[in-house]
Amino acid sequence: MSFWIAASRLFLRLPYAGSLKERRHVVRSLTDGVRGRFSISAADLGPDGKHNAAEIGFAAASSSHAELEERMRNLEKFLYQREEEGEFIITDFSLEVLNYDDLSDRQAE
């Protein structure tokens, strides 16, 4: 059986966040929404001390490449829909879906 993992990074600009508290509110709203809606792990990656920028990491695992790819593409759509609400601007989004066996083979070399 295959084991697939997905990792994604989201970079945001927060033009209306005037404080770290407002930044945390936007980031927490996004991460909590993603966790609840897609069963995807989410973490605030920084940058520390900046209230007008954010980096968020997402990760998920599945036994099905197709299911995982679809879940992560739905995440991407959700994020761009949320961007339209105006709280943040997406400056970069990256996504990678990998077979875990390929990773463990690389480490063995």
Side-chain angles (χ1 to χ4, degrees):
M1 176 178 282
S2 291
F3 176 44
W4 295 90
I5 56 174
S8 179
R9 290 173 69 175
L10 173 69
F11 293 89
L12 303 175
R13 194 165 47 107
L14 306 162
Y16 304 110
S19 66
L20 290 175
K21 183 177 180 179
E22 290 173 351
R23 178 200 177 277
R24 280 191 301 271
H25 172 74
V26 172
V27 170
R28 185 165 302 184
S29 173
L30 266 179
T31 57
D32 289 349
V34 165
R35 286 182 190 119
R37 183 179 218 139
F38 300 104
S39 296
I40 293 174
S41 296
D44 182 351
L45 304 176
D48 291 335
K50 286 187 114 180
H51 65 273
N52 60 352
E55 178 183 352
I56 303 172
F58 301 100
S62 177
S63 62
S64 166
H65 178 273
E67 183 272 330
L68 188 56
E69 182 79 32
E70 180 181 1
R71 191 168 12 143
M72 296 306 283
R73 289 298 170 199
N74 287 336
L75 164 68
E76 183 178 14
K77 287 180 201 171
F78 171 77
L79 295 170
Y80 279 100
Q81 288 172 345
R82 285 287 308 269
E83 179 185 33
E84 292 176 8
E85 295 173 12
E87 284 187 307
F88 58 84
I89 298 166
I90 296 174
T91 58
D92 192 30
F93 178 82
S94 63
L95 169 63
E96 199 164 354
V97 178
L98 304 164
N99 186 304
Y100 182 78
D101 294 334
D102 293 342
L103 293 175
S104 59
D105 289 345
R106 282 190 229 163
Q107 291 177 354
E109 294 175 354

